Amino acid sequence: MLRLVLKVVSFLFLFTSLVSSLNSDGLSLLALKAAVESDPTRCLESWSESDATPCHWLGIGCTRKRVTSIFLPNKGLTGYIPSELGLLDSLTRLSLAQNNFSKLIPYHLFNATNLVYIDLSHNSLSGSVPPQIKSLKNLTHLDLSSNSLNGSLPESLVELKSLRGTLNLSFNKFSGEIPASYGEFPVMISLDLRHNNLTGKVPQVGSLVNQGPTAFTGNPNLCGFPLGNLCPEAQNPRAILNPEENPENPKGLTPVFYDGNGDKHKEKIGSVAAPLISGVSAVIGGVSVLVWLVRRKWKTGEDKMGKEKKREEVEEEGQNGKFMMVDEGFALELEDLLRASAYVVGKGRSGIVYKVVAGRGSGTLGSTVVAVRRLSEGDAPLKFKEFEAEVEAIGRVNHPNIVRLRAYYYANDEKLLVTDFIRNGSLYAALH
C-alpha cells in the first residue's frame, strides 16, 4: 500500500513539474491542440507540454516571450475554436483560415482585446457573431467570409472604430436588412456583404453610398443603389434617376458591371451579315432595254439595302454594348472588369468614378487597379460614332499630367471610360 502511494505521489510530482515548465500562453495553445480532431499535415506535432515556451512552435509568433500571433491557414485542421485563446492577452494576429473549424465562435475569444487582425474565413463556423467582439478596440481587419454564420448583421461591429482594412462577411447566411449604422464605417473600408440572405433597401447613408455594387451582389432580395433592381416602393424610376431631386444618386444608378440579380453584362457586338443578292433571271427573247432597266433598279435597291444594314449594325452595337481597348498594352478584358471589386471614389457633373480592383484583392500581388468613370450624358446623349470619335481623340493625347485612357465601353444606356488609377488622391483634395 505504501509503495502504491509513493508511486502516485511521484507521478503527480512529475506531472506537475512538466506542466508547470510551460508558461500560461503555452497552456492556452495546448487547449487549441486538444480541440483539433484531425491534423493531416501534423503541424501541431511540435506543440509539447514539456517545452518551457511555445515561441518555437510551428505557426506561433512571439514578442518578449509572449505569444502575439497564431498563423495556421490552410492546414486541413478539423475541430473547434476553444475559449482559452481569449487568455492570450498579448495576441494581435489570429489566422485560422481555410481549415474546417466548426461550431460557434466563442465569445471568450474576444477577451484577447489586443487583437488587430482576425481571419477565420473558409471554415464551417455557425451561429451569430458574439456581441463581445465590440471590445476589440484595436481591430483593423476582420474576415469571417465563407462560413455558415447566421442571424442579423451584427451592429456591434460599428463600435470597432479602428477598422480600416477589410470587413468581409460574404458567403454566409446572414439575413434581415443592412443596418443604417453601417454607414458609419470609414469610406476606405473594403466592405463585403455578398451572397447572404439580406433583404430590403441598401441604406443611403454615410459610407454605404460610396460602396460599389460588388459589396452587395448575391442577395436576391436586396434592392436600391448601387444595385440595378429598384425597390418596390419606387413607382417613378425617373424621379430616382434625376440627380437634381436626389443629389446622392447621380443619373444612372447601376455600373455596367452587374445587373440587379448580380448577373454580368456580356459584350455583344452585332454581327455583320452580307446581303443576299438574288440573281436576275435571264428572260429568253427579252429586249436589251428591259434588261438594262431591271439591272439599274436592282443596283439602286442594293445600295439602299447596304446603307440600311450599316445603320442597323451601328444601332445594334449601341444597344448590346461594345468594349474597346485604346491601349494595346492594357491586359484586362471586359470579363475581368465584370468580376472585379468596385467602390465609389468620386462624383461630379460628368458622372461617378469607381476604383476597380481586378485580381485577388486590393493591395495583393497580381491585382490590377483602374479607375472607371461612368459618364452622365445630360440632355444630349452621344451617338455611337460620335462617342467613338471623341474617345479615340482623347486616347491619342499623351501628356505626363493627363491620366491615360486604357479602354472604353459604349451602350445606349451605359458609357464608361477606363483609365489609370491615381493613388495620391484627387486634384480637389490637393488644392483644398
Side-chain angles (χ1 to χ4, degrees):
M1 182 67 179
L2 180 60
R3 288 181 179 179
L4 181 60
V5 172
L6 290 175
K7 286 183 179 180
V8 172
V9 170
S10 61
F11 173 77
L12 291 175
F13 176 78
L14 177 61
F15 178 79
T16 304
S17 63
L18 287 174
V19 173
S20 62
S21 65
L22 187 62
N23 63 20
S24 59
D25 285 357
L27 294 176
S28 298
L29 291 173
L30 286 181
L32 175 59
K33 182 178 181 180
V36 172
E37 301 169 1
S38 175
D39 180 12
T41 62
R42 298 182 179 180
C43 64
L44 305 184
E45 275 193 352
S46 64
W47 294 21
S48 174
E49 64 273 8
S50 61
D51 296 329
T53 174
C55 293
H56 64 276
W57 293 355
L58 181 67
I60 303 302
C62 292
T63 301
R64 297 178 182 176
K65 298 182 179 180
R66 296 300 308 277
V67 174
T68 55
S69 70
I70 301 174
F71 189 75
L72 295 169
N74 200 23
K75 301 297 183 184
L77 301 174
T78 299
Y80 64 93
I81 300 174
S83 299
E84 286 80 357
L85 294 186
L87 299 175
L88 300 171
D89 52 13
S90 295
L91 186 66
T92 59
R93 296 178 64 87
L94 173 63
S95 178
L96 300 175
Q98 299 183 21
N99 286 290
N100 193 29
F101 287 101
S102 57
K103 300 184 179 180
L104 306 177
I105 300 176
Y107 67 88
H108 287 297
L109 173 64
F110 305 124
N111 289 336
T113 54
N114 285 315
L115 278 165
V116 173
Y117 179 101
I118 296 178
D119 188 352
L120 302 179
S121 62
H122 296 274
N123 280 286
S124 301
L125 300 171
S126 58
S128 59
V129 178
Q132 289 81 1
I133 195 173
K134 65 184 179 182
S135 62
L136 304 183
K137 302 301 183 183
N138 299 319
L139 193 66
T140 62
H141 178 105
L142 178 63
D143 192 345
L144 302 177
S145 62
S146 299
N147 280 286
S148 296
L149 299 172
N150 53 35
S152 58
L153 291 175
E155 293 197 53
S156 54
L157 297 181
V158 179
E159 299 187 38
L160 301 177
K161 301 301 182 183
S162 295
L163 276 177
R164 290 294 183 274
T166 296
L167 176 55
N168 194 342
L169 304 177
S170 64
F171 292 91
N172 279 287
K173 298 179 181 179
F174 291 112
S175 58
E177 298 184 351
I178 299 174
S181 58
Y182 274 33
E184 298 176 19
F185 288 125
V187 174
M188 300 311 292
I189 280 184
S190 179
L191 179 66
D192 196 340
L193 304 177
R194 293 175 298 159
H195 293 278
N196 281 284
N197 298 318
L198 302 176
T199 58
K201 182 180 180 180
V202 178
Q204 296 300 292
V205 293
S207 60
L208 289 177
V209 178
N210 291 336
Q211 294 294 336
T214 51
F216 309 107
T217 55
N219 293 281
N221 296 317
L222 205 60
C223 61
F225 179 80
L227 299 173
N229 50 329
L230 298 178
C231 295
E233 65 270 17
Q235 300 296 327
N236 185 6
R238 289 186 176 274
I240 295 178
L241 295 175
N242 190 346
E244 296 178 358
E245 296 181 10
N246 192 351
E248 290 297 327
N249 291 349
K251 181 178 180 181
L253 299 180
T254 311
V256 69
F257 307 125
Y258 291 88
D259 64 17
N261 298 321
D263 295 328
K264 302 171 182 178
H265 294 292
K266 295 183 179 179
E267 179 184 12
K268 297 180 181 177
I269 300 178
S271 59
V272 180
L276 182 63
I277 303 174
S278 307
V280 179
S281 300
V283 181
I284 300 175
V287 185
S288 59
V289 176
L290 179 61
V291 173
W292 177 79
L293 291 174
V294 171
R295 288 182 177 177
R296 182 179 181 184
K297 185 177 182 180
W298 167 77
K299 185 177 181 180
T300 303
E302 182 188 33
D303 292 341
K304 185 177 181 180
M305 184 183 297
K307 291 179 181 179
E308 290 178 354
K309 286 289 183 181
K310 188 174 183 180
R311 189 181 303 111
E312 289 175 1
E313 290 168 14
V314 173
E315 290 176 356
E316 187 175 357
E317 281 182 331
Q319 291 173 356
N320 296 328
K322 183 176 181 180
F323 184 74
M324 291 292 294
M325 304 288 186
V326 176
D327 181 8
E328 294 181 357
F330 187 61
L332 292 180
E333 299 290 342
L334 180 63
E335 288 297 323
D336 299 322
L337 293 177
L338 292 175
R339 290 190 294 265
S341 300
Y343 61 89
V344 178
V345 294
K347 299 177 183 178
R349 292 184 178 180
S350 61
I352 306 175
V353 179
Y354 292 87
K355 177 183 177 182
V356 176
V357 183
R360 286 175 283 173
S362 178
T364 62
L365 186 63
S367 63
T368 301
V369 182
V370 294
V372 177
R373 179 177 292 275
R374 187 170 183 274
L375 298 178
S376 176
E377 296 181 290
D379 298 328
L382 291 175
K383 300 289 186 181
F384 172 68
K385 286 300 181 182
E386 297 171 347
F387 180 84
E388 186 179 44
E390 292 196 19
V391 170
E392 289 181 355
I394 295 173
R396 289 192 292 269
V397 176
N398 187 9
H399 191 277
N401 294 335
I402 298 178
V403 68
R404 192 171 182 181
L405 182 66
R406 298 290 189 174
Y408 67 88
Y409 177 87
Y410 179 93
N412 284 349
D413 56 349
E414 289 286 9
K415 292 161 188 67
L416 304 174
L417 299 180
V418 182
T419 65
D420 290 335
F421 181 77
I422 307 301
R423 300 179 181 273
N424 296 328
S426 64
L427 177 61
Y428 179 88
L431 293 175
H432 297 82

